[in-house]
């Protein structure tokens, strides 16, 4: 230990006998946070970052699992193919529709539910647990469950729609090309409302109650109180959750893979489920990665915005 | 005055009840079909409850199918994922909560990045990477992948729990001569037990629900987890609705148990991560 040259910068406080030199102490001090976070970081790098880079390289290579001679670089060939791929352009359009409709419905119903649960009432605890229960249902089971509900053999929904006059005979909307997308969207809304409700409820409960009392004394009505107190307080939470959730839902392929696997005729295929189908069914890893790279670039611009927003909000809070 | 309040109150309760009905109806229907005898399933149509019920579907699924093994495999994968992630996240969450170091924002950015990019991108490369390591079609390989996927979120969650514990506690212990790690293990960790339980619950639920990577990495019945087994059962025996839904009810049980465990922490947990569903 004492073999280290006595750097004048480090001997300014002379080390006592038997004490470690300040340089080593500094080193130990500086490395401490790394020791605590290293195992997690190593895993993240090995299982997420390395495959990410590998995946990006696949986008420019011919990687097909069933072809042992594949693996060579093909340049931009996948992207030329992609530009002519009607299924891909359809999937891009479907992604916007799927994400927009799901986020819109989840958010407004979730906000409504949060407002309902914000008031104290008898049995609120149990009501809250029951309302949030769909969140705990595994996504594959939500998908199957709703697919069964839409199935005219065992599900009630087609029969109810006939009695309401929405349908002439009980049919499965999941096999109707014009309606099929509503199936996964409804399942997604059912499954995702609790997420918004929970987040917004937490924000609602942090609003100081005396603000409402003061406003009521000043004669503000319920609607006025909502728009001048509740909404401004919720705004940051709403902005962040909606932005993050948009990214998450646009990547969320489980329900579609389970309920329709993109069919009928690719009418419910979103980009994420298209990537999965290319990799899982066609085993064409190169093309799947090229599609994934396009999705990544589209999401990256969006994500940068969110990271900046989060940082600035954290600093403020 | 009281009269005037009655109507909004009634509407409020009615809206709550309507939402509860919407939330529970699909699960109720799952349960209903799972106890409906096959002959009544078609003859009675959309009755809300069958005229008599049976547990035959459950008996078949438990005795004559591979579901008990799928269930066991899923328990092994989800349980070990939850345990490992919680251990890793408690140290990394502690680092983010207690240390000020230059690379901290880099680590936070890295962890946020992993929550942003589409995980489906990694399906193909991870499959390629795990194949030569003999980790495809293996519960260990699936666990490894799930651990890495869940560590970032769990780290943020644990960090929020550590942030709620005053720093003075371990500083006092360190003045008394304990090393930081000893203070962390003997003073701070026991105080975060509720947070540890919540993290275990969140991660278990996430691993139990994961679909795409289990489909890609696992083939064949031997190491199939519940979603893989259920989906292959559905595509093979797609007419046996009673049995499929009985299997579905079984998949629901652990998820609901863990939900009850963590639902107190939902609000805190989801606001800490604010990313994962």
């Amino acid at each position: 230990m004492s073999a280290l040259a006595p750097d004048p910068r480090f001997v300014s406080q002379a080390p006592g006998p038997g004490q470690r030199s300040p340089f080593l102490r500094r080193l130990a001090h500086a490395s401490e946070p790394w020791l605590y976070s290293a195992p997690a970081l190593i895993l993240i790098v090995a299982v997420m970052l390395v495959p990410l880079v590998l995946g990006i390289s696949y986008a420019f290579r011919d990687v097909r699992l069933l072809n042992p001679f594949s693996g060579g670089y093909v340049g931009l060939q996948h992207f030329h193919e992609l530009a002519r791929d009607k299924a891909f352009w359809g999937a891009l359009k479907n992604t916007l529709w799927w994400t927009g409709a799901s986020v819109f419905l989840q958010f407004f119903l979730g906000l409504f539910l949060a407002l309902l649960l914000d008031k104290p009432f008898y049995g609120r605890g149990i009501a809250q647990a029951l309302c949030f229960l769909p969140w705990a249902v595994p996504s594959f089971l939500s998908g199957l469950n709703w697919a069964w509900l839409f199935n005219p053999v065992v599900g009630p929904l087609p029969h109810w729609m006939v009695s309401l006059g929405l349908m002439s005979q009980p049919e499965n909307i999941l096999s109707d090309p014009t309606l099929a997308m509503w199936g996964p969207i409804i399942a997604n809304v059912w499954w995702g409302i609790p997420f918004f409700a929970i987040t917004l409820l937490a924000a609602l409960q942090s609003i100081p109650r005396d603000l409402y009392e003061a406003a009521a004394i000043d004669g503000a009505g319920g609607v006025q109180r909502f728009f001048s107190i509740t909404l401004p307080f919720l705004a940051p939470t709403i902005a962040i959750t909606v932005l993050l959730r948009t990214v998450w839902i646009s990547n969320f392929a489980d329900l579609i893979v389970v309920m329709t696997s993109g069919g009928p005729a690719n009418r419910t295929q979103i980009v994420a489920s298209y990537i999965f189908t290319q990799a899982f069914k066609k085993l064409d890893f190169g093309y799947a990665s090229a599609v994934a790279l396009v999705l990544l670039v589209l999401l990256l611009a969006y994500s940068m915005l969110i990271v900046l927003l989060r940082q600035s909000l954290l600093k403020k809070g | 005055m009281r009269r005037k309040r009655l109507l909004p109150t009634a509407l409020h309760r009615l809206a709550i009840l309507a939402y509860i009905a919407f939330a529970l109806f699909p699960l109720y229907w799952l349960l209903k079909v799972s106890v409906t005898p096959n002959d009544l399933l078609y003859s009675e149509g959309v009755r809300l409850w069958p005229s008599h019920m049976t547990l035959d579907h459950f008996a078949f699924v438990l005795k004559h199918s591979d579901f008990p093994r799928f269930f066991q495999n899923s328990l092994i994968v989800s349980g070990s994922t939850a345990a490992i992630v919680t251990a890793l996240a408690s140290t990394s969450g502690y680092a983010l909560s207690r240390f000020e170091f230059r690379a901290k924002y880099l680590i936070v950015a890295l962890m946020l990045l992993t929550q942003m990019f589409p995980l489906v991108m990694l399906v193909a490369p991870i499959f390629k990477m795990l194949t030569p390591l003999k980790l495809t079609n293996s519960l260990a390989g699936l666990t490894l992948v799930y651990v890495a996927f869940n560590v970032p979120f769990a780290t943020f969650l644990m960090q929020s729990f550590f942030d709620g514990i005053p720093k003075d506690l371990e500083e006092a212990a360190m003045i008394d001569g304990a090393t930081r790690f000893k203070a962390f293990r003997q003073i701070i960790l026991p105080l975060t037990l509720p947070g540890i339980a919540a993290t275990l619950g969140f991660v278990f639920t996430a691993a139990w629900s994961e679909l795409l990577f289990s489909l890609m990495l696992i083939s064949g019945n031997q190491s199939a987890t519940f979603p893989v087994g259920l989906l292959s059962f559905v595509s093979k025996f797609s007419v046996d609705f009673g049995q499929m839904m009985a299997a579905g009810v079984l998949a629901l049980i652990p998820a609901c148990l863990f939900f009850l465990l963590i639902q107190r922490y939902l609000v805190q947990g989801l606001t800490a991560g604010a990313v994962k569903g």
Side-chain angles (χ1 to χ4, degrees):
Chain A
M1 299 291 132
S2 55
L4 280 168
D7 186 324
R9 279 177 299 158
F10 295 138
V11 279
S12 52
Q13 323 154 292
Q19 234 180 343
R20 290 190 291 178
S21 77
F23 172 73
L24 280 178
R25 208 160 48 192
R26 269 195 189 192
L27 189 72
H29 188 70
S31 67
E32 210 176 4
W34 292 103
L35 292 177
Y36 281 91
S37 45
L41 283 178
I42 290 170
L43 257 173
I44 292 172
V45 170
V47 186
M48 298 182 84
L49 230 48
V50 170
L52 180 69
V53 173
L54 207 61
I56 292 173
S57 86
Y58 287 175
F60 305 96
R61 286 161 64 188
D62 173 30
V63 188
R64 280 169 295 162
L65 202 60
L66 294 179
N67 184 350
F69 301 107
S70 65
Y73 279 86
V74 293
L76 294 175
Q77 193 192 310
H78 291 313
F79 296 95
H80 291 306
E81 242 176 275
L82 201 61
R84 290 187 308 258
D85 185 350
K86 276 200 188 119
F88 168 73
W89 291 106
L92 210 54
K93 220 172 69 190
N94 288 339
T95 305
L96 290 179
W97 174 221
W98 149 262
T99 312
S102 301
V103 172
F104 181 84
L105 291 172
Q106 282 185 4
F107 169 70
F108 280 102
L109 293 171
L111 177 63
F112 186 60
L113 182 60
L115 289 171
L116 286 179
L117 289 172
D118 188 38
K119 294 183 190 150
F121 59 90
Y122 180 74
R124 178 165 79 167
I126 183 89
Q128 184 173 316
L130 292 176
C131 288
F132 292 167
L133 189 62
W135 177 82
V137 177
S139 56
F140 62 89
L141 195 62
S142 322
L144 280 177
N145 201 342
W146 278 95
W148 290 328
L149 290 176
F150 285 121
N151 185 322
V153 179
V154 284
L157 296 181
H159 302 278
W160 290 352
M161 281 190 270
V162 170
S163 359
L164 287 175
L166 295 171
M167 223 180 232
S168 53
Q169 53 185 18
E171 273 166 9
N172 194 339
I173 66 160
L174 296 179
S175 46
D176 179 334
T178 54
L179 292 175
M181 194 47 131
W182 282 107
I185 288 176
I186 291 172
N188 193 14
V189 170
W190 177 80
W191 191 69
I193 289 175
F195 175 84
F196 274 106
I198 292 164
T199 322
L200 293 172
L201 186 60
L204 276 176
Q205 286 175 349
S206 67
I207 302 177
R209 295 285 139 164
D210 31 347
L211 277 182
Y212 289 106
E213 282 160 28
I217 290 167
D218 290 348
V223 179
Q224 206 181 346
R225 269 176 286 168
F226 176 77
F227 281 105
S228 52
I229 303 174
T230 314
L231 215 53
F233 261 97
L234 286 188
T237 313
I238 291 177
I240 289 238
T241 4
V242 168
L243 287 172
L244 288 174
R245 210 56 188 167
T246 307
V247 173
W248 198 88
I249 287 178
S250 61
N251 292 331
F252 181 46
D254 294 22
L255 292 173
I256 288 173
V257 168
V258 168
M259 293 178 79
T260 62
S261 55
N266 280 332
R267 282 306 180 89
T268 58
Q269 196 76 275
I270 62 168
V271 177
S273 64
Y274 191 56
I275 296 168
F276 184 73
T277 315
Q278 292 295 324
F280 179 64
K281 294 224 171 93
K282 302 214 170 124
L283 299 174
D284 189 343
F285 288 3
Y287 194 64
S289 298
V291 183
L293 188 58
V294 173
L295 180 61
L296 182 68
V297 169
L298 289 177
L299 289 173
L300 208 62
Y302 194 81
S303 301
M304 290 316 281
L305 184 79
I306 296 169
V307 172
L308 291 177
L309 200 72
R310 193 187 145 105
Q311 290 298 341
S312 67
L313 279 178
L314 278 183
K315 266 177 208 145
K316 230 193 274 172
Chain B
M1 191 68 194
R2 268 198 68 175
R3 259 243 177 96
K4 234 174 137 187
R5 285 251 167 114
L6 207 62
L7 188 68
T9 310
L11 281 177
H12 174 256
R13 305 296 188 276
L14 214 62
I16 297 249
L17 283 178
Y19 186 77
I20 291 178
F22 171 62
L24 294 187
F25 179 73
L27 303 176
Y28 163 76
W29 201 262
L30 192 73
L31 193 66
K32 180 231 154 187
V33 175
S34 73
V35 296
T36 306
N38 274 338
D39 49 326
L40 294 186
L41 190 57
Y42 303 104
S43 59
E44 291 193 337
V46 289
R47 267 175 71 132
L48 282 181
W49 194 252
S51 49
H52 66 94
M53 44 187 279
T54 171
L55 291 176
D56 288 354
H57 301 309
F58 285 97
F60 179 89
V61 163
L62 288 175
K63 279 188 203 137
H64 304 288
S65 75
D66 288 325
F67 276 105
R69 185 175 334 120
F70 302 154
F71 198 88
Q72 192 191 342
N73 286 343
S74 264
L75 272 186
I76 294 173
V77 170
S78 312
S80 34
T81 302
I84 300 171
V85 166
T86 308
L88 294 179
S90 59
T91 59
S92 58
Y94 182 78
L96 291 188
S97 166
R98 288 299 197 262
F99 296 106
E100 285 305 327
F101 54 114
R102 225 177 281 161
K104 184 164 152 181
Y105 288 99
L106 205 69
I107 295 180
V108 172
L110 174 73
M111 291 195 173
L112 280 178
L113 173 80
T114 64
Q115 305 288 294
M116 295 295 176
F117 69 83
L119 283 183
V120 70
M121 278 192 83
L122 304 184
V123 164
I126 283 186
F127 184 86
K128 271 280 220 187
M129 279 171 69
L130 292 187
T131 308
L133 300 172
K134 300 252 185 304
L135 284 175
T136 52
N137 232 342
S138 107
L139 297 181
L142 200 59
T143 307
L144 175 73
V145 173
Y146 287 176
V147 168
F149 286 1
N150 285 294
V151 152
F153 166 75
T155 298
F156 291 134
L157 187 54
M158 285 305 295
Q159 182 196 356
S160 77
F161 286 113
F162 288 126
D163 283 346
I165 295 176
K167 273 184 179 184
D168 319 358
L169 285 176
E170 74 251 52
E171 274 162 14
M174 281 155 68
I175 288 170
D176 290 346
T179 61
R180 184 182 275 276
F181 189 67
K182 195 173 174 194
F184 166 68
R185 221 168 21 129
Q186 296 188 346
I187 297 169
I188 305 303
L189 268 192
L191 287 174
T192 27
L193 276 182
I196 290 175
T199 310
L200 280 172
F202 271 104
V203 177
F204 184 94
T205 316
W208 186 267
S209 311
E210 205 284 331
L211 174 73
L212 299 184
F213 282 84
S214 61
L215 279 179
M216 189 71 202
L217 294 176
I218 305 280
S219 54
N221 278 349
Q222 197 52 45
S223 44
T225 53
F226 215 96
V228 181
L230 186 60
L231 286 182
S232 74
F233 186 83
V234 167
S235 58
K236 256 185 246 164
F237 305 96
S238 56
V239 284
D240 230 315
F241 287 105
Q243 286 168 20
M244 291 192 298
M245 299 208 191
V249 172
L250 292 180
L252 202 59
I253 295 170
C256 285
L257 285 181
F258 270 90
F259 173 74
L260 290 180
L261 174 73
I262 59 175
Q263 67 110 3
R264 287 172 49 204
Y265 305 105
L266 272 181
V267 171
Q268 192 170 2
L270 287 178
T271 40
V275 185
K276 272 222 160 155

